[in-house]
Amino acid sequence: MDTGTKREPDGPLGGTDGARWVGLPGGLLRLRRLLLVLWTTVLGVVTAVLTGVLAGPAWAATGLVWAGVLGWGWVMLGRNWRSWRYAERADDLLISRGVLWHEQTVVPYGRMQLVEVTSGPLERRFALASVQLHTAAAASDAKIPGLAPAEAERLRDRLTELGEARSAGL
């Protein structure tokens, strides 16, 4: 699994001053794929039982539709996970994501008001954490999901330090 490789940007902001792109670790992909398998299995069994009881045993095969959803979702989750990356530059943080609709967010260090590290029960089980960046504009908040807790804390501390240094002159 990829644990944070250098990636070249392929979006509209291709010239990013030689920024070093860092991908997300594989734990987030494993978590999302596990949830996909669990949900499609449960829905497949429920569909098969209900259609088998209500419409006859031959109709129980309709539960196999969820196997197709599982296969499609497996591939899509991998593509989505590979699209997430971030880069720390001298004056701002870049976050890039998206397969069909590519988004690239630029968060200037001086505009950051709060940097949070969060980790829910499933994320803790998979040793993951997310970094949430809050700025003055609500629409510009950014999030980097699925980081190792140590990397999330390092990033939080670095962004907080850079944010304080950049906003001191305001």
Side-chain angles (χ1 to χ4, degrees):
M1 288 277 153
D2 186 3
T3 59
T5 61
K6 182 177 179 178
R7 300 180 189 195
E8 296 300 321
D10 56 1
L13 300 175
T16 55
D17 301 334
R20 183 181 166 275
W21 289 97
V22 179
L24 299 181
L28 180 65
L29 180 61
R30 285 191 299 276
L31 171 61
R32 288 180 175 174
R33 282 183 169 167
L34 174 66
L35 291 172
L36 175 69
V37 168
L38 291 174
W39 278 108
T40 55
T41 301
V42 167
L43 291 170
V45 168
V46 168
T47 301
V49 168
L50 283 177
T51 56
V53 168
L54 298 175
W59 286 95
T62 59
L64 294 176
V65 168
W66 291 103
V69 171
L70 173 63
W72 177 78
W74 191 273
V75 172
M76 291 298 108
L77 284 174
R79 289 184 66 196
N80 179 269
W81 170 77
R82 281 189 299 279
S83 76
W84 276 88
R85 57 188 180 260
Y86 66 96
E88 299 173 61
R89 297 194 306 182
D91 295 320
D92 50 31
L93 177 73
L94 301 175
I95 302 172
S96 179
R97 65 200 167 281
V99 178
L100 293 177
W101 286 270
H102 184 79
E103 289 184 45
Q104 195 160 30
T105 304
V106 180
V107 183
Y109 297 133
R111 301 285 181 169
M112 284 189 266
Q113 293 182 332
L114 177 67
V115 181
E116 289 182 302
V117 174
T118 60
S119 187
L122 280 176
E123 288 177 311
R124 284 193 305 273
R125 176 73 174 113
F126 281 79
L128 299 172
S130 297
V131 174
Q132 177 78 40
L133 306 164
H134 298 280
T135 62
S140 67
D141 289 355
K143 184 175 186 175
I144 304 173
L147 297 173
E151 172 63 8
E153 290 173 10
R154 183 206 64 83
L155 191 58
R156 177 199 59 208
D157 294 343
R158 175 159 165 69
L159 294 175
T160 302
E161 178 184 311
L162 289 168
E164 289 173 353
R166 297 297 191 281
S167 66
L170 295 178

